Amino acid sequence: MAKYTCSICGYVYDEVAGDPDRGIAPGTKWEDVPEDWTCPLCGAVKADFVEEKRNKEPVKKDVNVVENEADSMREMSFGEVSALCSNLSKGCTKQYRSEEGELFSQLAEFYKTISSNAGEGGLKDISLLVEQDLASGYPAANPIAADVSDRGALRALVWGEKVTRILNSILSRYDKQQDSLLEGTHIYVCDICGFIYIGDELPDICPVCKVPNKKIIEVMRG
């Protein structure tokens, strides 16, 4: 029997074990799992799972080469710069660089104010930006951080990409279900990495950055 891995948080659905806690009996094949089933950890849909391939050779990537770098670069929005500075501030704080962290925090607030004054886009605009980040932003940034062995940046990029994939999945589900997706449930956000969770019972730890769920804050109740 096969195993399927969540491409967002790494949870593995094993056909042998099933998911008894959520009504999926042991031995249930992947194709027989209901389409509305979601990842127990991060809430990703079935489309976000990939089958584990046996005896598959790992793909070697040359992290020192960024193909078509000029084509992948684009001007960042004020909101994106604010989010980037906020993440850098948290990274500096974790590395006990309080002065640098405070400066990045001030920059984040500055660009956040500019972004608010510039007006807000709709969900389609947000979805487009999210898809651009996944298609070109992270693939361009990861090799650059790896080339200079910046472990802090690499960790932030790993967290950021996972959270962005979760957001992309939620936006896709909302586009189909609209407000019914949020009715009668809770919305939480991890205060450390930005992980978004929709549901009634929180996981024990954040599936992205592994902090205890006391760091996952409720932001909305449906």
Side-chain angles (χ1 to χ4, degrees):
M1 303 190 86
K3 296 181 181 180
Y4 293 79
T5 303
C6 177
S7 61
I8 294 173
C9 71
Y11 170 83
V12 177
Y13 175 82
D14 187 342
E15 292 182 336
V16 173
D19 185 11
D21 292 339
R22 306 176 77 210
I24 309 299
T28 302
K29 290 188 173 296
W30 181 248
E31 56 265 29
D32 296 327
V33 173
E35 290 302 317
D36 59 355
W37 180 86
T38 57
C39 176
L41 288 184
C42 70
V45 296
K46 282 185 67 177
D48 292 318
F49 280 71
V50 293
E51 183 178 1
E52 289 189 1
K53 302 296 183 181
R54 299 179 181 177
N55 302 322
K56 184 177 180 181
E57 289 290 334
V59 178
K60 295 182 179 180
K61 297 181 179 179
D62 185 353
V63 297
N64 296 317
V65 177
V66 181
E67 297 180 356
N68 301 321
E69 181 177 346
D71 293 335
S72 65
M73 300 300 289
R74 63 177 176 83
E75 184 176 353
M76 298 177 68
S77 69
F78 293 132
E80 289 174 312
V81 175
S82 174
L84 174 62
C85 290
S86 178
N87 287 334
L88 289 171
S89 174
K90 292 178 181 179
C92 288
T93 301
K94 287 183 177 295
Q95 296 179 27
Y96 303 103
R97 297 180 177 180
S98 56
E99 184 176 349
E100 292 90 338
E102 176 60 27
L103 291 173
F104 276 122
S105 179
Q106 292 177 18
L107 283 172
E109 288 299 319
F110 172 75
Y111 283 108
K112 182 179 179 180
T113 300
I114 296 178
S115 177
S116 298
N117 293 335
E120 299 180 354
L123 284 178
K124 295 292 184 182
D125 299 314
I126 297 175
S127 295
L128 179 60
L129 291 173
V130 167
E131 290 171 0
Q132 288 177 343
D133 279 344
L134 293 173
S136 60
Y138 288 107
N142 278 304
I144 295 173
D147 190 39
V148 295
S149 300
D150 190 333
R151 296 176 61 187
L154 286 170
R155 180 172 59 180
L157 286 167
V158 169
W159 289 359
E161 185 170 0
K162 288 183 177 181
V163 170
T164 303
R165 290 189 183 280
I166 292 171
L167 176 59
N168 191 44
S169 177
I170 291 174
L171 289 172
S172 177
R173 290 164 59 194
Y174 185 82
D175 186 51
K176 297 176 181 178
Q177 303 177 38
Q178 296 298 308
D179 291 343
S180 63
L181 175 66
L182 310 179
E183 290 177 357
T185 189
H186 305 265
I187 302 177
Y188 302 87
V189 175
C190 177
D191 193 42
I192 303 302
C193 69
F195 162 68
I196 303 169
Y197 181 79
I198 299 177
D200 295 326
E201 296 185 11
L202 283 173
D204 292 333
I205 61 173
C206 172
V208 175
C209 66
K210 310 305 180 185
V211 297
N213 63 12
K214 65 180 181 181
K215 293 290 186 179
I216 305 177
I217 311 301
E218 183 175 0
V219 296
M220 179 178 175
R221 181 175 297 181

